[in-house]
Amino acid sequence: MITMKPIQLFPGVYKIGGALATRSLTPGFKVHGERLLEAGNAEYREWNPYQSKLAAGIACGLHALPIKEGSRVLYLGAAQGATASFVSDIVGEKGVVYCVEIAPRAVTDLIRVCEKRENMIPILADARKPSEYASEIEDGEVDVVFEDVADPQQAELLKSNARFLKKGAAAMLAVKARSVSSVEEPRKVFEKVKRELEEVFELVQEIDISSFEKDHEMLVLRKK
Ligand SMILES: C[S@@+](CC[C@H](N)C(=O)[O-])C[C@H]1O[C@@H](n2cnc3c(N)ncnc32)[C@H](O)[C@@H]1O
């Protein structure tokens, strides 16, 4: 355990001695071997931008984080729950993170994380078929949709999940150029994805995160 002073970057997100961190909702419990940091009477978890595209977006200059204390977040492509657990720290006990993941093996690990964190709900489902999990989402509505799915139809997938957002609500999309096209230049793929999203979303910020994840960018969007 390391003791240092946290500097707040966004509500719920801190910089501690050069490392990104969130205040842990479950002190003493590590999700994926992350370093634990102590400040005052609280425990923080180091959030590595090389292992999380959301952390990479923050490290690369995100202007405003739409995920806040109390937010209801639909997280598409939760895998074993590593990044989703940091989102869980940020939204806190009053928020909720619906974690959609298609791979049963990953969901087995995800469930272990969700057992420790009451604000995380595991959903074994295909994010391309939102009608199959719509009934699990309270009131059929969330504040933010976050997508990190390596699918050639990344934009379509996000658009189909926009049904859970009110007008003006936020979405974040980690675009993996190589999933859309293995031959096209990433810049061209990013332009194509943005065009596909235009019908449903307004672009708020586009962040190049390739210094942490090759051929990736993070889009911050607002539902039209
Ligand atoms: C890059 S990983 C996500 C990593 C995770 N967001 C994190 O930072 O901890 C992408 C995940 O999306 C899942 N996935 C792929 N296609 C999916 C789909 N159609 N629906 C739901 N999950 C999907 C994969 O099984 C994989 O676990």
Side-chain angles (χ1 to χ4, degrees):
M1 195 72 91
I2 296 176
T3 304
M4 272 172 288
K5 194 171 166 18
I7 297 161
Q8 185 173 282
L9 299 181
F10 298 110
V13 181
Y14 305 86
K15 197 145 207 189
I16 305 182
L20 266 187
T22 57
R23 188 173 171 157
S24 180
L25 203 58
T26 55
F29 177 66
K30 292 186 187 186
V31 172
H32 66 132
E34 67 276 18
R35 193 164 59 126
L36 300 178
L37 311 161
E38 198 180 75
N41 288 330
E43 186 181 287
Y44 296 77
R45 303 165 55 226
E46 183 172 3
W47 194 6
N48 187 341
Y50 286 98
Q51 295 174 347
S52 167
K53 285 152 217 150
L54 180 52
I58 293 169
C60 292
L62 177 72
H63 296 154
L65 180 63
I67 300 168
K68 300 175 165 55
E69 187 179 3
S71 292
R72 300 156 50 77
V73 180
L74 175 59
Y75 191 118
L76 309 172
Q80 291 83 359
T83 297
S85 72
F86 290 98
V87 175
S88 149
D89 281 344
I90 297 166
V91 303
E93 285 165 1
K94 292 183 187 143
V96 63
V97 191
Y98 296 102
C99 303
V100 178
E101 171 55 49
I102 199 169
R105 272 191 81 147
V107 172
T108 305
D109 293 334
L110 174 64
I111 287 170
R112 275 191 218 113
V113 177
C114 297
E115 279 168 356
K116 297 269 184 200
R117 293 175 169 263
E118 288 182 6
N119 67 0
M120 282 176 71
I121 298 174
I123 301 175
L124 173 61
D126 183 344
R128 291 169 297 190
K129 300 174 183 165
S131 53
E132 291 184 4
Y133 49 86
S135 62
E136 309 221 21
I137 294 171
E138 204 183 324
D139 301 328
E141 198 179 289
V142 294
D143 301 306
V144 183
V145 174
F146 180 89
E147 179 190 325
D148 179 15
V149 171
D151 185 284
Q153 302 292 319
Q154 286 164 57
E156 260 325 298
L157 197 154
L158 186 64
K159 278 157 68 179
S160 65
N161 280 274
R163 62 187 274 176
F164 301 113
L165 293 172
K166 268 194 194 147
K167 185 174 184 282
M172 296 181 83
L173 171 62
V175 186
K176 181 177 182 176
R178 294 294 169 218
S179 292
V180 180
S181 168
S182 55
V183 289
E184 245 180 308
E185 210 220 313
R187 181 76 359 235
K188 286 195 177 145
V189 175
F190 297 146
E191 290 306 319
K192 194 156 100 188
V193 169
K194 281 190 291 177
R195 273 198 307 277
E196 281 173 36
L197 291 165
E198 263 172 13
E199 184 193 328
V200 178
F201 293 102
E202 178 191 330
L203 181 65
V204 175
Q205 195 186 355
E206 181 176 9
I207 310 164
D208 177 2
I209 58 167
S210 57
S211 50
F212 293 103
E213 285 280 355
K214 195 169 182 286
D215 301 332
H216 279 70
E217 71 169 14
M218 174 68 67
L219 298 180
V220 184
L221 305 148
R222 188 182 296 125
K223 190 178 173 190
K224 284 181 176 171

PDB file of all heavy atoms in Angstrom, residues 51-53 75-79 81-84 100-103 106 125-128 146 148-151 157, ligand 1:
ATOM      1  N   GLN A  51      -4.419  -0.836 -20.107  1.00  0.00           N
ATOM      2  CA  GLN A  51      -5.328  -1.981 -19.951  1.00  0.00           C
ATOM      3  C   GLN A  51      -6.793  -1.582 -20.053  1.00  0.00           C
ATOM      4  O   GLN A  51      -7.666  -2.435 -19.895  1.00  0.00           O
ATOM      5  CB  GLN A  51      -5.080  -2.662 -18.598  1.00  0.00           C
ATOM      6  CG  GLN A  51      -3.694  -3.277 -18.516  1.00  0.00           C
ATOM      7  CD  GLN A  51      -3.384  -3.826 -17.141  1.00  0.00           C
ATOM      8  OE1 GLN A  51      -4.091  -3.552 -16.165  1.00  0.00           O
ATOM      9  NE2 GLN A  51      -2.321  -4.595 -17.053  1.00  0.00           N
ATOM     10  N   SER A  52      -7.060  -0.291 -20.228  1.00  0.00           N
ATOM     11  CA  SER A  52      -8.446   0.176 -20.249  1.00  0.00           C
ATOM     12  C   SER A  52      -8.574   1.346 -21.213  1.00  0.00           C
ATOM     13  O   SER A  52      -7.894   2.372 -21.048  1.00  0.00           O
ATOM     14  CB  SER A  52      -8.863   0.617 -18.845  1.00  0.00           C
ATOM     15  OG  SER A  52     -10.066   1.339 -18.907  1.00  0.00           O
ATOM     16  N   LYS A  53      -9.449   1.211 -22.212  1.00  0.00           N
ATOM     17  CA  LYS A  53      -9.587   2.289 -23.196  1.00  0.00           C
ATOM     18  C   LYS A  53     -10.247   3.522 -22.585  1.00  0.00           C
ATOM     19  O   LYS A  53      -9.988   4.642 -23.009  1.00  0.00           O
ATOM     20  CB  LYS A  53     -10.362   1.782 -24.413  1.00  0.00           C
ATOM     21  CG  LYS A  53      -9.492   0.893 -25.279  1.00  0.00           C
ATOM     22  CD  LYS A  53     -10.276  -0.129 -26.042  1.00  0.00           C
ATOM     23  CE  LYS A  53      -9.484  -1.417 -26.111  1.00  0.00           C
ATOM     24  NZ  LYS A  53     -10.337  -2.588 -26.165  1.00  0.00           N
ATOM     25  N   TYR A  75     -22.858  -0.960 -20.093  1.00  0.00           N
ATOM     26  CA  TYR A  75     -21.488  -1.206 -20.538  1.00  0.00           C
ATOM     27  C   TYR A  75     -21.507  -2.403 -21.485  1.00  0.00           C
ATOM     28  O   TYR A  75     -21.796  -3.534 -21.072  1.00  0.00           O
ATOM     29  CB  TYR A  75     -20.613  -1.488 -19.310  1.00  0.00           C
ATOM     30  CG  TYR A  75     -19.128  -1.493 -19.595  1.00  0.00           C
ATOM     31  CD1 TYR A  75     -18.272  -0.585 -18.988  1.00  0.00           C
ATOM     32  CD2 TYR A  75     -18.567  -2.409 -20.471  1.00  0.00           C
ATOM     33  CE1 TYR A  75     -16.911  -0.589 -19.251  1.00  0.00           C
ATOM     34  CE2 TYR A  75     -17.212  -2.411 -20.752  1.00  0.00           C
ATOM     35  CZ  TYR A  75     -16.388  -1.496 -20.140  1.00  0.00           C
ATOM     36  OH  TYR A  75     -15.044  -1.498 -20.401  1.00  0.00           O
ATOM     37  N   LEU A  76     -21.193  -2.166 -22.762  1.00  0.00           N
ATOM     38  CA  LEU A  76     -21.238  -3.228 -23.774  1.00  0.00           C
ATOM     39  C   LEU A  76     -19.830  -3.761 -24.030  1.00  0.00           C
ATOM     40  O   LEU A  76     -18.928  -2.999 -24.390  1.00  0.00           O
ATOM     41  CB  LEU A  76     -21.837  -2.682 -25.070  1.00  0.00           C
ATOM     42  CG  LEU A  76     -23.175  -1.947 -24.921  1.00  0.00           C
ATOM     43  CD1 LEU A  76     -23.574  -1.272 -26.237  1.00  0.00           C
ATOM     44  CD2 LEU A  76     -24.266  -2.912 -24.455  1.00  0.00           C
ATOM     45  N   GLY A  77     -19.633  -5.056 -23.822  1.00  0.00           N
ATOM     46  CA  GLY A  77     -18.308  -5.658 -23.974  1.00  0.00           C
ATOM     47  C   GLY A  77     -17.548  -5.582 -22.665  1.00  0.00           C
ATOM     48  O   GLY A  77     -16.424  -5.103 -22.587  1.00  0.00           O
ATOM     49  N   ALA A  78     -18.173  -6.085 -21.611  1.00  0.00           N
ATOM     50  CA  ALA A  78     -17.613  -5.927 -20.248  1.00  0.00           C
ATOM     51  C   ALA A  78     -16.446  -6.877 -19.981  1.00  0.00           C
ATOM     52  O   ALA A  78     -15.680  -6.669 -19.041  1.00  0.00           O
ATOM     53  CB  ALA A  78     -18.713  -6.154 -19.216  1.00  0.00           C
ATOM     54  N   ALA A  79     -16.310  -7.926 -20.792  1.00  0.00           N
ATOM     55  CA  ALA A  79     -15.276  -8.954 -20.566  1.00  0.00           C
ATOM     56  C   ALA A  79     -15.322  -9.426 -19.100  1.00  0.00           C
ATOM     57  O   ALA A  79     -16.406  -9.663 -18.568  1.00  0.00           O
ATOM     58  CB  ALA A  79     -13.907  -8.427 -20.989  1.00  0.00           C
ATOM     59  N   GLY A  81     -14.777  -7.725 -16.530  1.00  0.00           N
ATOM     60  CA  GLY A  81     -15.248  -6.671 -15.617  1.00  0.00           C
ATOM     61  C   GLY A  81     -14.169  -5.720 -15.132  1.00  0.00           C
ATOM     62  O   GLY A  81     -14.419  -4.937 -14.207  1.00  0.00           O
ATOM     63  N   ALA A  82     -12.990  -5.745 -15.760  1.00  0.00           N
ATOM     64  CA  ALA A  82     -11.903  -4.882 -15.268  1.00  0.00           C
ATOM     65  C   ALA A  82     -12.287  -3.397 -15.361  1.00  0.00           C
ATOM     66  O   ALA A  82     -12.435  -2.729 -14.330  1.00  0.00           O
ATOM     67  CB  ALA A  82     -10.617  -5.177 -16.026  1.00  0.00           C
ATOM     68  N   THR A  83     -12.492  -2.894 -16.589  1.00  0.00           N
ATOM     69  CA  THR A  83     -12.852  -1.467 -16.706  1.00  0.00           C
ATOM     70  C   THR A  83     -14.210  -1.196 -16.062  1.00  0.00           C
ATOM     71  O   THR A  83     -14.403  -0.162 -15.406  1.00  0.00           O
ATOM     72  CB  THR A  83     -12.858  -1.023 -18.186  1.00  0.00           C
ATOM     73  OG1 THR A  83     -11.531  -1.176 -18.697  1.00  0.00           O
ATOM     74  CG2 THR A  83     -13.278   0.437 -18.331  1.00  0.00           C
ATOM     75  N   ALA A  84     -15.137  -2.126 -16.226  1.00  0.00           N
ATOM     76  CA  ALA A  84     -16.466  -1.930 -15.627  1.00  0.00           C
ATOM     77  C   ALA A  84     -16.354  -1.733 -14.108  1.00  0.00           C
ATOM     78  O   ALA A  84     -17.148  -1.000 -13.510  1.00  0.00           O
ATOM     79  CB  ALA A  84     -17.369  -3.116 -15.957  1.00  0.00           C
ATOM     80  N   VAL A 100     -22.841  -6.031 -20.166  1.00  0.00           N
ATOM     81  CA  VAL A 100     -23.229  -6.988 -21.202  1.00  0.00           C
ATOM     82  C   VAL A 100     -21.969  -7.619 -21.798  1.00  0.00           C
ATOM     83  O   VAL A 100     -21.043  -6.915 -22.209  1.00  0.00           O
ATOM     84  CB  VAL A 100     -24.053  -6.290 -22.311  1.00  0.00           C
ATOM     85  CG1 VAL A 100     -24.414  -7.276 -23.418  1.00  0.00           C
ATOM     86  CG2 VAL A 100     -25.307  -5.652 -21.725  1.00  0.00           C
ATOM     87  N   GLU A 101     -21.960  -8.938 -21.825  1.00  0.00           N
ATOM     88  CA  GLU A 101     -20.804  -9.664 -22.365  1.00  0.00           C
ATOM     89  C   GLU A 101     -21.310 -10.941 -23.030  1.00  0.00           C
ATOM     90  O   GLU A 101     -22.157 -11.639 -22.489  1.00  0.00           O
ATOM     91  CB  GLU A 101     -19.817  -9.965 -21.217  1.00  0.00           C
ATOM     92  CG  GLU A 101     -18.682 -10.891 -21.561  1.00  0.00           C
ATOM     93  CD  GLU A 101     -17.831 -10.465 -22.771  1.00  0.00           C
ATOM     94  OE1 GLU A 101     -17.403  -9.304 -22.860  1.00  0.00           O
ATOM     95  OE2 GLU A 101     -17.626 -11.331 -23.652  1.00  0.00           O
ATOM     96  N   ILE A 102     -20.729 -11.239 -24.208  1.00  0.00           N
ATOM     97  CA  ILE A 102     -21.214 -12.380 -24.995  1.00  0.00           C
ATOM     98  C   ILE A 102     -20.497 -13.697 -24.648  1.00  0.00           C
ATOM     99  O   ILE A 102     -21.060 -14.779 -24.860  1.00  0.00           O
ATOM    100  CB  ILE A 102     -21.062 -12.072 -26.514  1.00  0.00           C
ATOM    101  CG1 ILE A 102     -21.959 -12.979 -27.348  1.00  0.00           C
ATOM    102  CG2 ILE A 102     -19.619 -12.155 -26.974  1.00  0.00           C
ATOM    103  CD1 ILE A 102     -22.065 -12.569 -28.817  1.00  0.00           C
ATOM    104  N   ALA A 103     -19.260 -13.611 -24.137  1.00  0.00           N
ATOM    105  CA  ALA A 103     -18.471 -14.839 -23.932  1.00  0.00           C
ATOM    106  C   ALA A 103     -18.756 -15.454 -22.552  1.00  0.00           C
ATOM    107  O   ALA A 103     -18.444 -14.847 -21.524  1.00  0.00           O
ATOM    108  CB  ALA A 103     -16.985 -14.517 -24.071  1.00  0.00           C
ATOM    109  N   ALA A 106     -15.866 -15.430 -19.973  1.00  0.00           N
ATOM    110  CA  ALA A 106     -15.602 -14.108 -19.373  1.00  0.00           C
ATOM    111  C   ALA A 106     -16.682 -13.794 -18.339  1.00  0.00           C
ATOM    112  O   ALA A 106     -16.386 -13.239 -17.264  1.00  0.00           O
ATOM    113  CB  ALA A 106     -15.575 -13.040 -20.464  1.00  0.00           C
ATOM    114  N   ALA A 125     -25.139 -11.819 -22.850  1.00  0.00           N
ATOM    115  CA  ALA A 125     -25.989 -11.523 -24.009  1.00  0.00           C
ATOM    116  C   ALA A 125     -25.147 -10.974 -25.146  1.00  0.00           C
ATOM    117  O   ALA A 125     -23.995 -10.573 -24.956  1.00  0.00           O
ATOM    118  CB  ALA A 125     -27.059 -10.491 -23.631  1.00  0.00           C
ATOM    119  N   ASP A 126     -25.774 -10.949 -26.317  1.00  0.00           N
ATOM    120  CA  ASP A 126     -25.166 -10.381 -27.510  1.00  0.00           C
ATOM    121  C   ASP A 126     -25.619  -8.920 -27.609  1.00  0.00           C
ATOM    122  O   ASP A 126     -26.818  -8.648 -27.754  1.00  0.00           O
ATOM    123  CB  ASP A 126     -25.655 -11.190 -28.730  1.00  0.00           C
ATOM    124  CG  ASP A 126     -25.026 -10.732 -30.026  1.00  0.00           C
ATOM    125  OD1 ASP A 126     -24.461  -9.623 -30.063  1.00  0.00           O
ATOM    126  OD2 ASP A 126     -25.113 -11.498 -31.007  1.00  0.00           O
ATOM    127  N   ALA A 127     -24.665  -8.006 -27.526  1.00  0.00           N
ATOM    128  CA  ALA A 127     -25.005  -6.573 -27.547  1.00  0.00           C
ATOM    129  C   ALA A 127     -25.619  -6.145 -28.876  1.00  0.00           C
ATOM    130  O   ALA A 127     -26.142  -5.036 -28.981  1.00  0.00           O
ATOM    131  CB  ALA A 127     -23.763  -5.746 -27.231  1.00  0.00           C
ATOM    132  N   ARG A 128     -25.557  -6.991 -29.909  1.00  0.00           N
ATOM    133  CA  ARG A 128     -26.216  -6.666 -31.189  1.00  0.00           C
ATOM    134  C   ARG A 128     -27.720  -6.882 -31.103  1.00  0.00           C
ATOM    135  O   ARG A 128     -28.464  -6.529 -31.993  1.00  0.00           O
ATOM    136  CB  ARG A 128     -25.652  -7.549 -32.317  1.00  0.00           C
ATOM    137  CG  ARG A 128     -24.209  -7.211 -32.677  1.00  0.00           C
ATOM    138  CD  ARG A 128     -23.602  -8.251 -33.570  1.00  0.00           C
ATOM    139  NE  ARG A 128     -23.538  -9.549 -32.896  1.00  0.00           N
ATOM    140  CZ  ARG A 128     -22.884 -10.598 -33.357  1.00  0.00           C
ATOM    141  NH1 ARG A 128     -22.248 -10.529 -34.505  1.00  0.00           N
ATOM    142  NH2 ARG A 128     -22.863 -11.731 -32.679  1.00  0.00           N
ATOM    143  N   PHE A 146     -21.709   2.829 -22.805  1.00  0.00           N
ATOM    144  CA  PHE A 146     -20.281   2.747 -23.090  1.00  0.00           C
ATOM    145  C   PHE A 146     -20.054   1.464 -23.879  1.00  0.00           C
ATOM    146  O   PHE A 146     -20.495   0.390 -23.453  1.00  0.00           O
ATOM    147  CB  PHE A 146     -19.473   2.712 -21.776  1.00  0.00           C
ATOM    148  CG  PHE A 146     -17.987   2.622 -22.016  1.00  0.00           C
ATOM    149  CD1 PHE A 146     -17.236   3.775 -22.157  1.00  0.00           C
ATOM    150  CD2 PHE A 146     -17.354   1.399 -22.135  1.00  0.00           C
ATOM    151  CE1 PHE A 146     -15.864   3.701 -22.414  1.00  0.00           C
ATOM    152  CE2 PHE A 146     -15.992   1.307 -22.388  1.00  0.00           C
ATOM    153  CZ  PHE A 146     -15.246   2.469 -22.524  1.00  0.00           C
ATOM    154  N   ASP A 148     -17.209  -1.087 -25.793  1.00  0.00           N
ATOM    155  CA  ASP A 148     -15.842  -1.524 -26.114  1.00  0.00           C
ATOM    156  C   ASP A 148     -15.942  -2.961 -26.628  1.00  0.00           C
ATOM    157  O   ASP A 148     -15.671  -3.919 -25.912  1.00  0.00           O
ATOM    158  CB  ASP A 148     -14.956  -1.452 -24.859  1.00  0.00           C
ATOM    159  CG  ASP A 148     -13.526  -1.921 -25.130  1.00  0.00           C
ATOM    160  OD1 ASP A 148     -13.139  -2.038 -26.310  1.00  0.00           O
ATOM    161  OD2 ASP A 148     -12.800  -2.178 -24.147  1.00  0.00           O
ATOM    162  N   VAL A 149     -16.424  -3.071 -27.874  1.00  0.00           N
ATOM    163  CA  VAL A 149     -16.672  -4.386 -28.470  1.00  0.00           C
ATOM    164  C   VAL A 149     -15.918  -4.463 -29.798  1.00  0.00           C
ATOM    165  O   VAL A 149     -16.076  -3.583 -30.641  1.00  0.00           O
ATOM    166  CB  VAL A 149     -18.194  -4.583 -28.717  1.00  0.00           C
ATOM    167  CG1 VAL A 149     -18.441  -5.828 -29.536  1.00  0.00           C
ATOM    168  CG2 VAL A 149     -18.952  -4.669 -27.402  1.00  0.00           C
ATOM    169  N   ALA A 150     -15.093  -5.491 -29.950  1.00  0.00           N
ATOM    170  CA  ALA A 150     -14.349  -5.654 -31.204  1.00  0.00           C
ATOM    171  C   ALA A 150     -15.259  -6.315 -32.236  1.00  0.00           C
ATOM    172  O   ALA A 150     -15.222  -7.533 -32.417  1.00  0.00           O
ATOM    173  CB  ALA A 150     -13.104  -6.497 -30.945  1.00  0.00           C
ATOM    174  N   ASP A 151     -16.107  -5.491 -32.881  1.00  0.00           N
ATOM    175  CA  ASP A 151     -17.079  -6.023 -33.836  1.00  0.00           C
ATOM    176  C   ASP A 151     -17.001  -5.167 -35.096  1.00  0.00           C
ATOM    177  O   ASP A 151     -16.868  -3.947 -35.004  1.00  0.00           O
ATOM    178  CB  ASP A 151     -18.488  -5.931 -33.212  1.00  0.00           C
ATOM    179  CG  ASP A 151     -19.555  -6.567 -34.078  1.00  0.00           C
ATOM    180  OD1 ASP A 151     -19.948  -5.934 -35.090  1.00  0.00           O
ATOM    181  OD2 ASP A 151     -20.007  -7.676 -33.743  1.00  0.00           O
ATOM    182  N   LEU A 157     -23.987  -1.349 -33.757  1.00  0.00           N
ATOM    183  CA  LEU A 157     -24.249  -1.910 -32.425  1.00  0.00           C
ATOM    184  C   LEU A 157     -24.596  -0.786 -31.426  1.00  0.00           C
ATOM    185  O   LEU A 157     -25.547  -0.895 -30.650  1.00  0.00           O
ATOM    186  CB  LEU A 157     -22.986  -2.673 -31.999  1.00  0.00           C
ATOM    187  CG  LEU A 157     -23.083  -3.673 -30.872  1.00  0.00           C
ATOM    188  CD1 LEU A 157     -22.009  -4.739 -31.019  1.00  0.00           C
ATOM    189  CD2 LEU A 157     -22.973  -2.999 -29.548  1.00  0.00           C
TER     190      LEU A 157
HETATM  191  C1  LIG B   1     -11.800  -5.481 -25.775  1.00  0.00           C
HETATM  192  S1  LIG B   1     -12.752  -6.598 -24.853  1.00  0.00           S
HETATM  193  C2  LIG B   1     -13.441  -5.614 -23.579  1.00  0.00           C
HETATM  194  C3  LIG B   1     -12.510  -5.228 -22.474  1.00  0.00           C
HETATM  195  C4  LIG B   1     -13.238  -4.497 -21.365  1.00  0.00           C
HETATM  196  N1  LIG B   1     -14.052  -3.434 -21.891  1.00  0.00           N
HETATM  197  C5  LIG B   1     -12.291  -3.914 -20.347  1.00  0.00           C
HETATM  198  O1  LIG B   1     -11.691  -2.852 -20.613  1.00  0.00           O
HETATM  199  O2  LIG B   1     -12.175  -4.488 -19.252  1.00  0.00           O
HETATM  200  C6  LIG B   1     -14.159  -6.811 -25.861  1.00  0.00           C
HETATM  201  C7  LIG B   1     -15.193  -7.722 -25.280  1.00  0.00           C
HETATM  202  O3  LIG B   1     -16.363  -7.647 -26.086  1.00  0.00           O
HETATM  203  C8  LIG B   1     -16.974  -8.924 -26.078  1.00  0.00           C
HETATM  204  N2  LIG B   1     -17.899  -8.983 -27.221  1.00  0.00           N
HETATM  205  C9  LIG B   1     -17.600  -9.174 -28.535  1.00  0.00           C
HETATM  206  N3  LIG B   1     -18.731  -9.160 -29.271  1.00  0.00           N
HETATM  207  C10 LIG B   1     -19.753  -8.936 -28.400  1.00  0.00           C
HETATM  208  C11 LIG B   1     -21.158  -8.806 -28.555  1.00  0.00           C
HETATM  209  N4  LIG B   1     -21.740  -8.883 -29.751  1.00  0.00           N
HETATM  210  N5  LIG B   1     -21.909  -8.605 -27.456  1.00  0.00           N
HETATM  211  C12 LIG B   1     -21.338  -8.507 -26.219  1.00  0.00           C
HETATM  212  N6  LIG B   1     -20.006  -8.625 -26.017  1.00  0.00           N
HETATM  213  C13 LIG B   1     -19.229  -8.828 -27.091  1.00  0.00           C
HETATM  214  C14 LIG B   1     -15.793  -9.879 -26.181  1.00  0.00           C
HETATM  215  O4  LIG B   1     -16.157 -11.190 -25.780  1.00  0.00           O
HETATM  216  C15 LIG B   1     -14.788  -9.192 -25.263  1.00  0.00           C
HETATM  217  O5  LIG B   1     -14.863  -9.696 -23.954  1.00  0.00           O
END
